[in-house]
PDB file of all heavy atoms in Angstrom:
ATOM      1  N   VAL A 202       7.151   2.851   5.633  1.00  0.00           N
ATOM      2  CA  VAL A 202       7.826   2.274   4.463  1.00  0.00           C
ATOM      3  C   VAL A 202       8.714   1.092   4.822  1.00  0.00           C
ATOM      4  O   VAL A 202       8.627   0.010   4.227  1.00  0.00           O
ATOM      5  CB  VAL A 202       8.614   3.364   3.702  1.00  0.00           C
ATOM      6  CG1 VAL A 202       9.506   2.717   2.637  1.00  0.00           C
ATOM      7  CG2 VAL A 202       7.667   4.364   3.061  1.00  0.00           C
ATOM      8  N   ASP A 203       9.602   1.266   5.790  1.00  0.00           N
ATOM      9  CA  ASP A 203      10.540   0.189   6.133  1.00  0.00           C
ATOM     10  C   ASP A 203       9.816  -1.036   6.675  1.00  0.00           C
ATOM     11  O   ASP A 203      10.218  -2.180   6.408  1.00  0.00           O
ATOM     12  CB  ASP A 203      11.576   0.687   7.145  1.00  0.00           C
ATOM     13  CG  ASP A 203      12.570   1.662   6.526  1.00  0.00           C
ATOM     14  OD1 ASP A 203      12.698   1.658   5.282  1.00  0.00           O
ATOM     15  OD2 ASP A 203      13.195   2.440   7.286  1.00  0.00           O
ATOM     16  N   TYR A 204       8.772  -0.822   7.454  1.00  0.00           N
ATOM     17  CA  TYR A 204       8.000  -1.941   8.003  1.00  0.00           C
ATOM     18  C   TYR A 204       7.308  -2.721   6.880  1.00  0.00           C
ATOM     19  O   TYR A 204       7.270  -3.955   6.890  1.00  0.00           O
ATOM     20  CB  TYR A 204       6.956  -1.433   8.997  1.00  0.00           C
ATOM     21  CG  TYR A 204       7.525  -0.920  10.295  1.00  0.00           C
ATOM     22  CD1 TYR A 204       8.057   0.362  10.391  1.00  0.00           C
ATOM     23  CD2 TYR A 204       7.530  -1.718  11.438  1.00  0.00           C
ATOM     24  CE1 TYR A 204       8.580   0.843  11.589  1.00  0.00           C
ATOM     25  CE2 TYR A 204       8.043  -1.254  12.642  1.00  0.00           C
ATOM     26  CZ  TYR A 204       8.569   0.031  12.703  1.00  0.00           C
ATOM     27  OH  TYR A 204       9.093   0.493  13.893  1.00  0.00           O
ATOM     28  N   ILE A 205       6.737  -1.967   5.920  1.00  0.00           N
ATOM     29  CA  ILE A 205       6.064  -2.622   4.796  1.00  0.00           C
ATOM     30  C   ILE A 205       7.065  -3.402   3.956  1.00  0.00           C
ATOM     31  O   ILE A 205       6.786  -4.519   3.492  1.00  0.00           O
ATOM     32  CB  ILE A 205       5.319  -1.572   3.949  1.00  0.00           C
ATOM     33  CG1 ILE A 205       4.129  -1.008   4.736  1.00  0.00           C
ATOM     34  CG2 ILE A 205       4.852  -2.164   2.623  1.00  0.00           C
ATOM     35  CD1 ILE A 205       3.435   0.160   4.082  1.00  0.00           C
ATOM     36  N   LYS A 206       8.255  -2.819   3.777  1.00  0.00           N
ATOM     37  CA  LYS A 206       9.293  -3.490   3.001  1.00  0.00           C
ATOM     38  C   LYS A 206       9.631  -4.846   3.629  1.00  0.00           C
ATOM     39  O   LYS A 206       9.812  -5.853   2.921  1.00  0.00           O
ATOM     40  CB  LYS A 206      10.532  -2.606   2.929  1.00  0.00           C
ATOM     41  CG  LYS A 206      11.592  -3.067   1.937  1.00  0.00           C
ATOM     42  CD  LYS A 206      12.765  -2.083   1.899  1.00  0.00           C
ATOM     43  CE  LYS A 206      12.320  -0.722   1.389  1.00  0.00           C
ATOM     44  NZ  LYS A 206      13.477   0.225   1.272  1.00  0.00           N
ATOM     45  N   LYS A 207       9.702  -4.886   4.953  1.00  0.00           N
ATOM     46  CA  LYS A 207       9.980  -6.137   5.655  1.00  0.00           C
ATOM     47  C   LYS A 207       8.841  -7.135   5.463  1.00  0.00           C
ATOM     48  O   LYS A 207       9.078  -8.332   5.249  1.00  0.00           O
ATOM     49  CB  LYS A 207      10.197  -5.858   7.138  1.00  0.00           C
ATOM     50  CG  LYS A 207      10.561  -7.093   7.951  1.00  0.00           C
ATOM     51  CD  LYS A 207      10.785  -6.740   9.419  1.00  0.00           C
ATOM     52  CE  LYS A 207      11.127  -7.983  10.236  1.00  0.00           C
ATOM     53  NZ  LYS A 207      11.283  -7.682  11.675  1.00  0.00           N
ATOM     54  N   MET A 208       7.603  -6.642   5.533  1.00  0.00           N
ATOM     55  CA  MET A 208       6.440  -7.523   5.374  1.00  0.00           C
ATOM     56  C   MET A 208       6.421  -8.162   3.990  1.00  0.00           C
ATOM     57  O   MET A 208       6.247  -9.378   3.844  1.00  0.00           O
ATOM     58  CB  MET A 208       5.136  -6.738   5.570  1.00  0.00           C
ATOM     59  CG  MET A 208       4.866  -6.268   6.976  1.00  0.00           C
ATOM     60  SD  MET A 208       3.204  -5.546   7.146  1.00  0.00           S
ATOM     61  CE  MET A 208       2.234  -7.025   7.409  1.00  0.00           C
ATOM     62  N   THR A 209       6.558  -7.342   2.959  1.00  0.00           N
ATOM     63  CA  THR A 209       6.476  -7.873   1.602  1.00  0.00           C
ATOM     64  C   THR A 209       7.641  -8.802   1.298  1.00  0.00           C
ATOM     65  O   THR A 209       7.497  -9.777   0.556  1.00  0.00           O
ATOM     66  CB  THR A 209       6.414  -6.722   0.586  1.00  0.00           C
ATOM     67  OG1 THR A 209       7.551  -5.867   0.756  1.00  0.00           O
ATOM     68  CG2 THR A 209       5.145  -5.903   0.770  1.00  0.00           C
ATOM     69  N   LYS A 210       8.797  -8.512   1.876  1.00  0.00           N
ATOM     70  CA  LYS A 210       9.958  -9.395   1.690  1.00  0.00           C
ATOM     71  C   LYS A 210       9.698 -10.763   2.297  1.00  0.00           C
ATOM     72  O   LYS A 210      10.168 -11.790   1.799  1.00  0.00           O
ATOM     73  CB  LYS A 210      11.199  -8.763   2.326  1.00  0.00           C
ATOM     74  CG  LYS A 210      12.488  -9.532   2.053  1.00  0.00           C
ATOM     75  CD  LYS A 210      13.697  -8.824   2.655  1.00  0.00           C
ATOM     76  CE  LYS A 210      14.975  -9.606   2.376  1.00  0.00           C
ATOM     77  NZ  LYS A 210      16.179  -8.928   2.955  1.00  0.00           N
ATOM     78  N   ASP A 211       8.903 -10.778   3.382  1.00  0.00           N
ATOM     79  CA  ASP A 211       8.558 -12.037   4.044  1.00  0.00           C
ATOM     80  C   ASP A 211       7.359 -12.725   3.405  1.00  0.00           C
ATOM     81  O   ASP A 211       6.845 -13.710   3.938  1.00  0.00           O
ATOM     82  CB  ASP A 211       8.277 -11.792   5.527  1.00  0.00           C
ATOM     83  CG  ASP A 211       9.544 -11.493   6.316  1.00  0.00           C
ATOM     84  OD1 ASP A 211      10.645 -11.671   5.746  1.00  0.00           O
ATOM     85  OD2 ASP A 211       9.434 -11.065   7.478  1.00  0.00           O
ATOM     86  N   GLY A 212       6.893 -12.185   2.270  1.00  0.00           N
ATOM     87  CA  GLY A 212       5.819 -12.847   1.530  1.00  0.00           C
ATOM     88  C   GLY A 212       4.417 -12.406   1.882  1.00  0.00           C
ATOM     89  O   GLY A 212       3.431 -13.056   1.488  1.00  0.00           O
ATOM     90  N   VAL A 213       4.270 -11.305   2.618  1.00  0.00           N
ATOM     91  CA  VAL A 213       2.948 -10.789   2.972  1.00  0.00           C
ATOM     92  C   VAL A 213       2.482  -9.830   1.871  1.00  0.00           C
ATOM     93  O   VAL A 213       3.212  -8.901   1.494  1.00  0.00           O
ATOM     94  CB  VAL A 213       2.967 -10.056   4.331  1.00  0.00           C
ATOM     95  CG1 VAL A 213       1.585  -9.492   4.657  1.00  0.00           C
ATOM     96  CG2 VAL A 213       3.428 -11.005   5.433  1.00  0.00           C
ATOM     97  N   PHE A 214       1.296 -10.050   1.358  1.00  0.00           N
ATOM     98  CA  PHE A 214       0.741  -9.138   0.357  1.00  0.00           C
ATOM     99  C   PHE A 214       0.232  -7.882   1.053  1.00  0.00           C
ATOM    100  O   PHE A 214      -0.484  -7.956   2.054  1.00  0.00           O
ATOM    101  CB  PHE A 214      -0.402  -9.796  -0.409  1.00  0.00           C
ATOM    102  CG  PHE A 214      -1.088  -8.867  -1.387  1.00  0.00           C
ATOM    103  CD1 PHE A 214      -0.600  -8.711  -2.669  1.00  0.00           C
ATOM    104  CD2 PHE A 214      -2.194  -8.123  -0.997  1.00  0.00           C
ATOM    105  CE1 PHE A 214      -1.205  -7.853  -3.575  1.00  0.00           C
ATOM    106  CE2 PHE A 214      -2.819  -7.260  -1.884  1.00  0.00           C
ATOM    107  CZ  PHE A 214      -2.318  -7.123  -3.176  1.00  0.00           C
ATOM    108  N   VAL A 215       0.562  -6.698   0.502  1.00  0.00           N
ATOM    109  CA  VAL A 215       0.063  -5.430   1.035  1.00  0.00           C
ATOM    110  C   VAL A 215      -0.559  -4.650  -0.121  1.00  0.00           C
ATOM    111  O   VAL A 215       0.117  -4.315  -1.100  1.00  0.00           O
ATOM    112  CB  VAL A 215       1.181  -4.584   1.686  1.00  0.00           C
ATOM    113  CG1 VAL A 215       0.597  -3.281   2.236  1.00  0.00           C
ATOM    114  CG2 VAL A 215       1.867  -5.370   2.796  1.00  0.00           C
ATOM    115  N   GLY A 216      -1.864  -4.401  -0.023  1.00  0.00           N
ATOM    116  CA  GLY A 216      -2.589  -3.676  -1.063  1.00  0.00           C
ATOM    117  C   GLY A 216      -3.096  -2.350  -0.537  1.00  0.00           C
ATOM    118  O   GLY A 216      -3.368  -2.196   0.653  1.00  0.00           O
ATOM    119  N   MET A 217      -3.243  -1.361  -1.438  1.00  0.00           N
ATOM    120  CA  MET A 217      -3.673  -0.022  -1.044  1.00  0.00           C
ATOM    121  C   MET A 217      -5.027   0.327  -1.667  1.00  0.00           C
ATOM    122  O   MET A 217      -5.240   0.176  -2.867  1.00  0.00           O
ATOM    123  CB  MET A 217      -2.645   1.020  -1.494  1.00  0.00           C
ATOM    124  CG  MET A 217      -3.019   2.466  -1.156  1.00  0.00           C
ATOM    125  SD  MET A 217      -3.036   2.799   0.628  1.00  0.00           S
ATOM    126  CE  MET A 217      -1.260   2.899   0.954  1.00  0.00           C
ATOM    127  N   THR A 218      -5.946   0.772  -0.803  1.00  0.00           N
ATOM    128  CA  THR A 218      -7.216   1.347  -1.233  1.00  0.00           C
ATOM    129  C   THR A 218      -7.320   2.748  -0.631  1.00  0.00           C
ATOM    130  O   THR A 218      -6.443   3.181   0.107  1.00  0.00           O
ATOM    131  CB  THR A 218      -8.401   0.487  -0.774  1.00  0.00           C
ATOM    132  OG1 THR A 218      -8.412   0.438   0.666  1.00  0.00           O
ATOM    133  CG2 THR A 218      -8.295  -0.936  -1.313  1.00  0.00           C
ATOM    134  N   SER A 219      -8.411   3.449  -0.937  1.00  0.00           N
ATOM    135  CA  SER A 219      -8.553   4.816  -0.449  1.00  0.00           C
ATOM    136  C   SER A 219      -9.761   4.987   0.460  1.00  0.00           C
ATOM    137  O   SER A 219     -10.830   4.426   0.195  1.00  0.00           O
ATOM    138  CB  SER A 219      -8.687   5.796  -1.617  1.00  0.00           C
ATOM    139  OG  SER A 219      -8.911   7.114  -1.143  1.00  0.00           O
ATOM    140  N   GLN A 220      -9.584   5.794   1.495  1.00  0.00           N
ATOM    141  CA  GLN A 220     -10.693   6.147   2.369  1.00  0.00           C
ATOM    142  C   GLN A 220     -11.722   7.016   1.660  1.00  0.00           C
ATOM    143  O   GLN A 220     -12.858   7.143   2.115  1.00  0.00           O
ATOM    144  CB  GLN A 220     -10.163   6.895   3.595  1.00  0.00           C
ATOM    145  CG  GLN A 220      -9.212   6.100   4.458  1.00  0.00           C
ATOM    146  CD  GLN A 220      -8.560   6.926   5.542  1.00  0.00           C
ATOM    147  OE1 GLN A 220      -9.019   8.022   5.845  1.00  0.00           O
ATOM    148  NE2 GLN A 220      -7.477   6.420   6.118  1.00  0.00           N
ATOM    149  N   CYS A 221     -11.317   7.643   0.557  1.00  0.00           N
ATOM    150  CA  CYS A 221     -12.233   8.544  -0.151  1.00  0.00           C
ATOM    151  C   CYS A 221     -13.404   7.799  -0.772  1.00  0.00           C
ATOM    152  O   CYS A 221     -14.453   8.395  -1.014  1.00  0.00           O
ATOM    153  CB  CYS A 221     -11.484   9.296  -1.258  1.00  0.00           C
ATOM    154  SG  CYS A 221     -10.220  10.426  -0.650  1.00  0.00           S
ATOM    155  N   LEU A 222     -13.218   6.515  -1.058  1.00  0.00           N
ATOM    156  CA  LEU A 222     -14.214   5.648  -1.682  1.00  0.00           C
ATOM    157  C   LEU A 222     -14.414   5.994  -3.153  1.00  0.00           C
ATOM    158  O   LEU A 222     -14.208   5.169  -4.028  1.00  0.00           O
ATOM    159  CB  LEU A 222     -15.553   5.681  -0.942  1.00  0.00           C
ATOM    160  CG  LEU A 222     -15.507   5.302   0.538  1.00  0.00           C
ATOM    161  CD1 LEU A 222     -16.902   5.306   1.133  1.00  0.00           C
ATOM    162  CD2 LEU A 222     -14.853   3.958   0.746  1.00  0.00           C
ATOM    163  N   PHE A 223     -14.858   7.212  -3.462  1.00  0.00           N
ATOM    164  CA  PHE A 223     -15.025   7.595  -4.855  1.00  0.00           C
ATOM    165  C   PHE A 223     -13.670   7.958  -5.454  1.00  0.00           C
ATOM    166  O   PHE A 223     -12.827   8.567  -4.794  1.00  0.00           O
ATOM    167  CB  PHE A 223     -15.993   8.772  -4.983  1.00  0.00           C
ATOM    168  CG  PHE A 223     -17.422   8.379  -4.745  1.00  0.00           C
ATOM    169  CD1 PHE A 223     -17.994   8.534  -3.497  1.00  0.00           C
ATOM    170  CD2 PHE A 223     -18.197   7.842  -5.769  1.00  0.00           C
ATOM    171  CE1 PHE A 223     -19.301   8.169  -3.261  1.00  0.00           C
ATOM    172  CE2 PHE A 223     -19.514   7.461  -5.540  1.00  0.00           C
ATOM    173  CZ  PHE A 223     -20.070   7.626  -4.293  1.00  0.00           C
ATOM    174  N   GLY A 224     -13.472   7.596  -6.722  1.00  0.00           N
ATOM    175  CA  GLY A 224     -12.191   7.799  -7.365  1.00  0.00           C
ATOM    176  C   GLY A 224     -11.333   6.558  -7.239  1.00  0.00           C
ATOM    177  O   GLY A 224     -11.781   5.499  -6.806  1.00  0.00           O
ATOM    178  N   ARG A 225     -10.052   6.667  -7.624  1.00  0.00           N
ATOM    179  CA  ARG A 225      -9.157   5.527  -7.596  1.00  0.00           C
ATOM    180  C   ARG A 225      -7.821   5.942  -7.007  1.00  0.00           C
ATOM    181  O   ARG A 225      -7.480   7.131  -7.005  1.00  0.00           O
ATOM    182  CB  ARG A 225      -8.971   4.940  -8.988  1.00  0.00           C
ATOM    183  CG  ARG A 225      -8.284   5.867  -9.953  1.00  0.00           C
ATOM    184  CD  ARG A 225      -8.378   5.439 -11.418  1.00  0.00           C
ATOM    185  NE  ARG A 225      -8.297   4.025 -11.652  1.00  0.00           N
ATOM    186  CZ  ARG A 225      -9.332   3.294 -12.149  1.00  0.00           C
ATOM    187  NH1 ARG A 225     -10.482   3.881 -12.439  1.00  0.00           N
ATOM    188  NH2 ARG A 225      -9.197   2.007 -12.346  1.00  0.00           N
ATOM    189  N   VAL A 226      -7.081   4.981  -6.516  1.00  0.00           N
ATOM    190  CA  VAL A 226      -5.757   5.292  -5.987  1.00  0.00           C
ATOM    191  C   VAL A 226      -4.805   5.557  -7.160  1.00  0.00           C
ATOM    192  O   VAL A 226      -4.927   4.968  -8.231  1.00  0.00           O
ATOM    193  CB  VAL A 226      -5.211   4.158  -5.094  1.00  0.00           C
ATOM    194  CG1 VAL A 226      -6.081   3.959  -3.876  1.00  0.00           C
ATOM    195  CG2 VAL A 226      -5.077   2.852  -5.846  1.00  0.00           C
ATOM    196  N   ASN A 227      -3.857   6.463  -6.928  1.00  0.00           N
ATOM    197  CA  ASN A 227      -2.798   6.749  -7.895  1.00  0.00           C
ATOM    198  C   ASN A 227      -1.544   7.064  -7.100  1.00  0.00           C
ATOM    199  O   ASN A 227      -1.379   8.173  -6.587  1.00  0.00           O
ATOM    200  CB  ASN A 227      -3.174   7.922  -8.803  1.00  0.00           C
ATOM    201  CG  ASN A 227      -2.158   8.151  -9.907  1.00  0.00           C
ATOM    202  OD1 ASN A 227      -1.025   7.662  -9.830  1.00  0.00           O
ATOM    203  ND2 ASN A 227      -2.544   8.896 -10.930  1.00  0.00           N
ATOM    204  N   MET A 228      -0.677   6.087  -6.989  1.00  0.00           N
ATOM    205  CA  MET A 228       0.485   6.214  -6.119  1.00  0.00           C
ATOM    206  C   MET A 228       1.726   6.686  -6.879  1.00  0.00           C
ATOM    207  O   MET A 228       2.848   6.543  -6.401  1.00  0.00           O
ATOM    208  CB  MET A 228       0.737   4.876  -5.414  1.00  0.00           C
ATOM    209  CG  MET A 228      -0.450   4.423  -4.561  1.00  0.00           C
ATOM    210  SD  MET A 228      -0.228   2.820  -3.768  1.00  0.00           S
ATOM    211  CE  MET A 228       1.065   3.212  -2.599  1.00  0.00           C
ATOM    212  N   ASN A 229       1.495   7.270  -8.049  1.00  0.00           N
ATOM    213  CA  ASN A 229       2.594   7.814  -8.836  1.00  0.00           C
ATOM    214  C   ASN A 229       2.678   9.339  -8.772  1.00  0.00           C
ATOM    215  O   ASN A 229       3.607   9.932  -9.325  1.00  0.00           O
ATOM    216  CB  ASN A 229       2.458   7.388 -10.301  1.00  0.00           C
ATOM    217  CG  ASN A 229       2.536   5.884 -10.465  1.00  0.00           C
ATOM    218  OD1 ASN A 229       3.407   5.244  -9.878  1.00  0.00           O
ATOM    219  ND2 ASN A 229       1.630   5.322 -11.243  1.00  0.00           N
ATOM    220  N   VAL A 230       1.712   9.968  -8.111  1.00  0.00           N
ATOM    221  CA  VAL A 230       1.642  11.432  -8.117  1.00  0.00           C
ATOM    222  C   VAL A 230       2.612  12.039  -7.112  1.00  0.00           C
ATOM    223  O   VAL A 230       3.330  13.006  -7.417  1.00  0.00           O
ATOM    224  CB  VAL A 230       0.198  11.898  -7.827  1.00  0.00           C
ATOM    225  CG1 VAL A 230       0.134  13.425  -7.734  1.00  0.00           C
ATOM    226  CG2 VAL A 230      -0.748  11.385  -8.918  1.00  0.00           C
TER     227      VAL A 230
END
């Protein structure tokens, strides 16, 4: 988390996909 926070603050885009392939990501659960 902290490393990603530093990356995005520096303007690096970070996107999340799933290894499961089928279905969709839901990062609110």
Side-chain angles (χ1 to χ4, degrees):
V202 170
D203 289 340
Y204 289 81
I205 291 172
K206 191 178 296 183
K207 183 179 179 183
M208 291 188 84
T209 56
K210 186 177 180 180
D211 288 350
V213 178
F214 176 86
V215 181
M217 179 67 76
T218 62
S219 176
Q220 298 172 16
C221 295
L222 303 183
F223 287 95
R225 65 194 323 114
V226 297
N227 186 343
M228 300 178 68
N229 298 315
V230 176

